[in-house]
Amino acid sequence: MLLTRIKGPRDLDRLSQEELNQLAAEIRSFLVDAVSKTGGHLGPNLGVVELTIALHRVFESPKDKVLFDTGHQAYVHKLLTGRQDFAGLRTKNGLSGYPSRAESDHDVIENSHASTVLGWADGLAKANEVLGREDHHVAAVIGDGALTGGMAWEALNNIAAAKDRPLVIVVNDNERSYGPTIGGLANHLATLRTTDGYERFLARGKEILERTPVVGKPLFETLHGAKKGLKDFIAPQGMFEDLGLKYIGPIDGHDIEALESALTRAKRFSGPVIVHCLTQKGRGYTPALEHEADRFHAVGVIHPDTGLPVKTAAASWTSVFADEMVKLGHEREDIVGITAAMLHPVGLNKFAEAFPDRIYDVGIAEQHGATSAAGLATGGVHPVFAVYATFLNRAFDQVLMDVALHKCGVTFVLDRAGVTGDDGASHNGMWDMSILQVVPGLRLAAPRDAEQLRAQLREAVEVKDAPTVVRYSKGVVGPAVPAVGRIGGMDVLRTPAPEVTRPDVLLVSVGALAPMCLEIADLLDKQGISTTVVDPRWVKPVDEALAPLADRHRVVVTVEDNGRTGGVGAAVSQALRDAGVDVPLRDFGIPQRFLDHALRKEIMAEIGLTAPDIARQVTGLVAKLDGRYESEPAAAVD
């Protein structure tokens, strides 16, 4: 096999065009076989095989910087840079599903959020200029979907301002991000895809006019002088050229020779150049091409021949939300949905099918989505903006200053909250309950099971004068966790024996960690430690009934699937201080560090967020209180 002989990019230089095409076929076969065993981003990588080969033939990585926006499509790049052991892809100690600096000098950007690559490229090109590195080049690959993000256009505005600073921007145009790309930019690129182009038109015109006596040549020169206007009419790439960017394309993204020619011309140019490549997401794999939703953007473990899942998926948090949204849509005509280019991943596809006139896909533009939601709410409807928890970080200012400041009734539904695992540091939803704590008036719900998700979503959309947030985990929804009582707005999940007058521990359980918290209580009970377990349901604001309840216990413990700094534990601690309740508190959550990719359960064990780990520490805390504070008030434990 040719692929096994590729240890680095320069091994590509000695291959003929025929061998390069053979290599492309081998890579596609390898990807289908490998990713079907582990799961991962299959469709995007099948679409960029020839493009990645051409990039590494033309540019000299790692001296030249080859950058990939988001990194969904970096598997081929990994294969060509000496990383061909995909057996542990996206698992602990295996290859990351994104570019990773720890893996290779060829990787520049760690796994990241979309639409950022042009900002990186602008900075790297400026660094080359400042340091006089004229033989260094920067090539940034960005999808047409990522170009719907505002950050991309902010970067383009800066890039275009330096007309003599070399930088190659490769637009990987497959008409899709997760699903089909929509919006004005998508329409513009579609026009470019389907137009024969100015150069072909002009060549044919020249041939005809030069055969025309007397007026032919002068007319051709006039026509050529009107190049800009005619070019916009025939092939309207003027949007890029108006910014001051040289445009090459569209290029067949599966023709290695054509790609190399275009990239070589772009590399030689002394300023910024757009190379517009047309690719096909899922190319070469029939099940992916026939999957209209997202062309196998990301798959679990599948049968390689059929593309069907090996295991039948159980009900997920996302599917519970999806079904409840449809019910709400039937009940209330003012409910609308918003997604940032992720209609299917966040579960709004069912709502879109039922109410096509009440769904808005803003593209990869979470900031715009939040402010647009504020406008919708001001206009008299109630928007539900469903987004991955990690992506709401990008719209914090808009949540704060547009939605909350204006007291807009907008509901944000945060999917993939907490530790998500195999997608790595940038995709763990571990920041939301911390950053949202500072937003005045915002109310935040963390449902523990499917029933509570349905109930709290309904409670959220009833709020008309403030933003509401409902956040839940990735994957399968667990079994129902019934309440045995209610105190204030909090559900009581477990109470001590009736004869216990002052229980040892008040355990505050946040969201989907309720089953684990009940397990902690069982373990404590075996040590003779009495425990009350409560689920606040709404973790912001802190329920007024929590402080007096805490005062009737010896110690308070909070457990959350969120960063410890500024999270629910910190909010509870502040609420107790404000109420004058002097009870020791111990908060358990995610440490504030970037977590390597691994299975969720492996990460939870690594950071000590398991029932045995927490029970052991709480047992030690209670024992310490027994030894030191039997006859005096307990001091706070941080």
Side-chain angles (χ1 to χ4, degrees):
M1 285 181 64
L2 286 172
L3 179 57
T4 58
R5 290 158 43 190
I6 305 299
K7 307 302 181 184
R10 300 285 55 84
D11 290 336
L12 299 170
D13 295 345
R14 51 189 170 77
L15 299 183
S16 66
Q17 285 297 321
E18 183 179 353
E19 288 173 319
L20 291 172
N21 291 330
Q22 179 185 337
L23 175 63
E26 289 181 8
I27 289 174
R28 284 198 171 88
S29 178
F30 176 95
L31 289 173
V32 171
D33 181 66
V35 179
S36 67
K37 292 184 174 70
T38 63
H41 292 104
L42 183 55
N45 287 284
L46 292 173
V48 297
V49 176
E50 291 84 0
L51 175 56
T52 310
I53 291 171
L55 280 164
H56 278 300
R57 291 253 298 176
V58 172
F59 294 95
E60 298 178 30
S61 179
K63 183 186 76 170
D64 295 337
K65 304 305 180 188
V66 180
L67 318 175
F68 296 91
D69 195 80
T70 306
H72 289 150
Q73 73 287 54
Y75 293 3
V76 186
H77 165 76
K78 288 176 184 275
L79 290 172
L80 299 180
T81 53
R83 289 166 282 175
Q84 297 183 10
D85 182 3
F86 272 47
L89 179 68
R90 302 168 75 242
T91 62
K92 190 173 184 178
N93 299 321
L95 284 181
S96 167
Y98 294 89
S100 168
R101 289 177 173 180
E103 289 179 6
S104 173
D105 291 340
H106 296 280
D107 291 2
V108 181
I109 311 173
E110 295 280 342
N111 45 336
S112 62
H113 294 171
S115 309
T116 60
V117 74
L118 298 185
W120 278 92
D122 179 50
L124 286 164
K126 287 172 178 172
N128 286 341
E129 183 179 55
V130 169
L131 298 176
R133 296 187 295 221
E134 296 182 359
D135 62 338
H136 287 54
H137 300 272
V138 179
V141 180
I142 184 167
D144 56 311
L147 276 175
T148 63
M151 280 191 67
W153 291 92
E154 293 172 20
L156 281 171
N157 185 52
N158 278 266
I159 290 167
K163 301 192 184 328
D164 58 351
R165 185 184 299 133
L167 172 58
V168 178
I169 299 167
V170 179
V171 176
N172 172 33
D173 181 4
N174 61 18
E175 306 180 57
R176 291 172 170 269
S177 47
Y178 284 81
T181 306
I182 65 163
L185 174 67
N187 292 337
H188 182 85
L189 292 176
T191 304
L192 292 180
R193 289 184 210 109
T194 56
T195 303
D196 285 342
Y198 165 80
E199 302 298 342
R200 191 179 307 166
F201 178 90
L202 196 62
R204 178 62 175 158
K206 180 179 180 181
E207 178 185 338
I208 295 171
L209 289 171
E210 286 187 340
R211 294 202 303 265
T212 304
V214 185
V215 298
K217 187 171 184 180
L219 182 57
F220 172 75
E221 290 173 352
T222 301
L223 184 63
H224 197 275
K227 177 177 179 179
K228 185 65 174 70
L230 181 64
K231 195 166 189 175
D232 280 352
F233 176 73
I234 301 301
Q237 59 261 48
M239 178 175 66
F240 296 115
E241 293 192 340
D242 285 346
L243 283 171
L245 298 166
K246 183 70 175 177
Y247 175 91
I248 299 175
I251 307 296
D252 181 352
H254 302 293
D255 184 331
I256 297 175
E257 193 169 7
L259 286 165
E260 285 189 38
S261 175
L263 291 170
T264 300
R265 280 182 283 146
K267 181 181 177 182
R268 290 173 182 164
F269 190 64
S270 59
V273 183
I274 293 269
V275 180
H276 182 192
C277 303
L278 308 183
T279 62
Q280 185 181 39
K281 191 173 184 178
R283 186 177 179 88
Y285 186 42
T286 300
L289 294 175
E290 292 177 348
H291 192 256
E292 186 55 32
D294 66 3
R295 299 278 174 85
F296 279 16
H297 179 85
V299 296
V301 178
I302 59 174
H303 293 285
D305 295 334
T306 64
L308 297 174
V310 170
K311 295 181 180 179
T312 303
S316 67
W317 289 95
T318 306
S319 67
V320 173
F321 161 71
D323 292 338
E324 197 63 22
M325 269 295 289
V326 173
K327 292 179 182 177
L328 280 168
H330 283 297
E331 295 170 19
R332 287 179 48 176
E333 293 182 354
D334 66 324
I335 296 284
V336 300
I338 301 176
T339 176
M342 301 182 72
L343 188 70
H344 286 80
V346 298
L348 280 175
N349 54 305
K350 291 184 178 181
F351 185 88
E353 291 167 5
F355 311 103
D357 297 330
R358 289 157 56 187
I359 188 76
Y360 303 100
D361 188 338
V362 298
I364 302 178
E366 292 85 359
Q367 292 170 296
H368 166 64
T371 301
S372 178
L376 281 161
T378 302
V381 299
H382 192 105
V384 176
F385 186 2
V387 61
Y388 282 10
T390 184
F391 297 149
L392 187 71
N393 305 352
R394 314 182 81 184
F396 172 74
D397 183 68
Q398 288 68 33
V399 172
L400 179 67
M401 292 299 177
D402 292 325
V403 182
L405 176 63
H406 293 85
K407 296 181 171 59
C408 295
V410 176
T411 296
F412 296 92
V413 173
L414 306 188
D415 202 324
R416 271 72 164 176
V419 172
T420 56
D422 47 19
D423 276 333
S426 71
H427 281 59
N428 288 314
M430 56 180 280
W431 324 103
D432 57 292
M433 290 199 293
S434 296
I435 63 175
L436 294 175
Q437 285 291 344
V438 304
V439 180
L442 181 142
R443 308 177 200 185
L444 198 160
R448 65 181 180 269
D449 57 24
E451 179 183 347
Q452 287 301 305
L453 170 53
R454 287 187 282 265
Q456 291 182 270
L457 177 62
R458 287 179 171 273
E459 293 169 24
V461 298
E462 289 298 323
V463 177
K464 296 180 172 62
D465 59 353
T468 52
V469 177
V470 180
R471 59 105 71 178
Y472 48 79
S473 301
K474 176 183 179 180
V476 176
V477 64
V481 181
V484 297
R486 179 165 283 204
I487 300 175
M490 302 180 295
D491 279 348
V492 180
L493 306 184
R494 177 186 173 118
T495 58
E499 64 270 17
V500 177
T501 56
R502 191 184 185 198
D504 295 306
V505 178
L506 173 61
L507 181 54
V508 180
S509 167
V510 177
L513 298 185
M516 184 176 77
C517 288
L518 291 173
E519 183 183 351
I520 294 169
D522 287 339
L523 293 172
L524 293 175
D525 186 61
K526 292 176 182 178
Q527 300 298 317
I529 298 172
S530 55
T531 305
T532 302
V533 180
V534 296
D535 171 13
R537 301 182 73 252
W538 291 86
V539 297
K540 176 181 169 24
V542 175
D543 196 293
E544 292 181 356
L546 184 60
L549 179 63
D551 202 28
R552 299 197 293 271
H553 291 73
R554 299 178 65 205
V555 64
V556 175
V557 173
T558 65
V559 183
E560 62 189 293
D561 193 2
N562 181 77
R564 290 181 62 213
T565 303
V568 176
V572 169
S573 177
Q574 181 175 323
L576 297 186
R577 292 195 303 270
D578 291 347
V581 176
D582 189 17
V583 175
L585 184 144
R586 182 67 188 270
D587 59 313
F588 292 91
I590 304 170
Q592 299 301 155
R593 68 171 190 259
F594 295 112
L595 304 173
D596 291 335
H597 64 278
L599 294 175
R600 173 182 162 87
K601 65 180 181 181
E602 292 174 331
I603 294 175
M604 298 289 272
E606 179 185 328
I607 63 178
L609 206 54
T610 68
D613 287 324
I614 295 173
R616 185 163 46 250
Q617 293 189 58
V618 174
T619 299
L621 175 59
V622 172
K624 185 177 180 182
L625 293 174
D626 290 340
R628 293 177 57 186
Y629 303 120
E630 281 297 328
S631 60
E632 59 183 308
V637 177
D638 293 323

